[in-house]
Amino acid sequence: MNFRNFPMVPRVVFGRGSFDQLDEIISPKRKSDNAPFIFLVDDIFKDTGLEKKIPLKHNDKIIFVNSDTEPKTFQVDTLRDTIVQEFGALPSGVLGIGGGTLMDLAKAVAIMLANPGSSADYQGWDLVNKPALYHVGIPTISGTGAEVSRTTVLTGPEKKLGINSDYTPFDQVVLDPDLCTGVPRNQWFYTGMDCYIHCIESLTGTYLNAFSQSYGEKALELCHEVFLNGALSEEESRDKLMMASWHGGMSIAYSQVGVAHAMSYGLSYLLGTRHGVGNCIVFDQLEEFYPEGVKNFKQMTDRYEVEIPRGLCGALSDAEFDTMINVSMGMVPLWENAMGKDWKKVITPGKLRSMYEKM
Ligand code: NAD
Ligand code: ZN
């Protein structure tokens, strides 16, 4: 018997406008006047109302980060080094304000401020030895579940792989749906679909259990309300998608994702395709594996008139296809969850190639 004993986010505040309480939430965690809080903030918020509401005190610092590319290990190491050089004392904590990209960066920087070496050394499972600095996640777009997860996904010199550890989850999460106001329609859909796809992959997987199912079913119900058949106000929609993301993330904690994620990792590795849109590009072609889920997905894209990009793989070379196929086939637990121990009977390099060719 080997049941995994998971940490969870110990503190969470939820509500429209709850961001305004941030000062009160983090102040007790300040170690001293010269131990700053570091705010890693998506640069989309530069010179906005949100920036002005960040409760800076003493030598606290905002670092704006562009999220056009997903987090890299060298980026994490550089941020850590910059912070160490600038401040005599270790920071009191690290806060990530943005989507999955900024939240993952905050988790990784908090770990690397407490552990030696490069973040690339910790990509894998349970390689982190010392607790991270206090870290806070504040999502501004909903869907990835990065706010609850036990991983931070990084692209390193050798692999794209998470730092999965008991020290990765946030110490505090602030769920303020108002922060998600103004997300562009396509991005809202792509990141929201990450949550929807987490639900479908978890609920139809062979790893399913009552723990995952209970969260997955709730998340799916919320996704359906938001994207498929609900008549929600924008405020209600933001509230519900934020909670869907939370539950979807909890659902995969105790199971796994599946075919769409396994294949979109290949796209991301070779072409830099980002997580949300990459999952949509793949999922669009997965009727064979997730008939009901894909049928509803197509209705949702129609309802919101969202274009799913096509033709990414048209001009790829054999070697490039092979790279994608190898990365994808390396995601063993995902395939096993999707179709059981004998997955290699169905998923061959030739099969994956023919699927990628459609994308
Ligand atoms: P993102 O953080 O990459 O942001 C997507 C875009 O939305 C960016 O252009 C950003 O500037 C913009 N944006 C964010 N908030 C906005 C707002 N309020 N208004 C306007 N624009 C806004 O997107 P994401 O889909 O949330 O995250 C993807 C990342 O999350 C990937 O790096 C992926 O690997 C990671 N991820 C992590 C986990 C995990 O468990 N750790 C799970 C899934 C995905
Ligand atoms: Zn995902």
Side-chain angles (χ1 to χ4, degrees), residues 7-269:
M8 287 168 67
V9 172
R11 280 185 179 265
V12 54
V13 46
F14 173 84
R16 299 176 202 161
S18 57
F19 184 77
D20 296 346
Q21 237 169 281
L22 189 58
D23 186 27
E24 179 187 314
I25 292 168
I26 63 175
S27 285
K29 301 291 180 184
R30 188 181 294 280
K31 288 188 284 196
S32 72
D33 286 359
N34 61 356
F37 282 111
I38 306 294
F39 296 84
L40 301 180
V41 182
D42 193 306
D43 68 3
I44 200 138
F45 294 114
K46 212 169 188 167
D47 302 321
T48 63
L50 186 140
E51 178 186 351
K52 296 195 187 77
K53 288 204 285 186
I54 294 174
L56 297 178
K57 300 250 174 85
H58 308 289
N59 57 352
D60 292 351
K61 184 177 170 103
I62 298 178
I63 301 177
F64 287 106
V65 183
N66 182 274
S67 61
D68 286 349
T69 53
E70 298 188 340
K72 309 274 181 295
T73 53
F74 87 85
Q75 184 187 13
V76 170
D77 298 349
T78 308
L79 279 166
R80 184 262 321 264
D81 295 344
T82 315
I83 294 164
V84 168
Q85 274 160 23
E86 180 166 347
F87 300 97
L90 267 187
S92 295
V94 181
L95 297 87
I97 305 180
T101 300
L102 266 291
M103 287 193 279
D104 276 2
L105 278 173
K107 289 173 172 182
V109 170
I111 289 171
M112 293 315 298
L113 280 163
N115 289 273
S118 164
S119 50
D121 304 337
Y122 300 96
Q123 285 178 281
W125 282 267
D126 302 304
L127 302 172
V128 181
N129 299 314
K130 294 210 197 102
L133 295 196
Y134 174 72
H135 52 304
V136 180
I138 308 180
T140 64
I141 180 169
S142 296
T144 63
E147 63 278 20
V148 289
S149 78
R150 187 180 175 274
T151 190
T152 160
V153 184
L154 303 178
T155 303
E158 282 159 30
K159 55 200 166 198
K160 176 173 174 177
L161 184 61
I163 300 181
N164 300 267
S165 84
D166 282 353
Y167 303 124
T168 309
F170 287 114
D171 298 296
Q172 168 81 55
V173 170
V174 177
L175 297 178
D176 180 348
D178 280 352
L179 301 183
C180 302
T181 312
V183 176
R185 163 78 55 95
N186 277 2
Q187 189 62 55
W188 166 78
F189 189 85
Y190 298 147
T191 298
M193 282 301 113
D194 191 22
C195 176
Y196 175 74
I197 295 169
H198 291 160
C199 296
I200 301 296
E201 292 183 325
S202 169
L203 290 170
T204 59
T206 61
Y207 290 2
L208 189 65
N209 53 71
F211 183 100
S212 295
Q213 189 176 6
S214 65
Y215 286 107
E217 283 174 348
K218 188 68 213 178
L220 186 63
E221 179 191 315
L222 292 165
C223 283
H224 282 165
E225 266 191 88
V226 170
F227 293 107
L228 188 65
N229 50 26
L232 305 175
S233 69
E234 294 204 351
E235 284 85 0
E236 288 170 321
S237 169
R238 284 194 290 268
D239 288 0
K240 291 195 180 205
L241 189 54
M242 195 161 249
M243 290 320 298
S245 176
W246 184 274
H247 284 83
M250 286 302 299
S251 178
I252 47 176
Y254 234 109
S255 65
Q256 247 312 343
V257 284
V259 181
H261 278 77
M263 293 193 71
S264 102
Y265 264 91
L267 287 180
S268 156
Y269 190 82

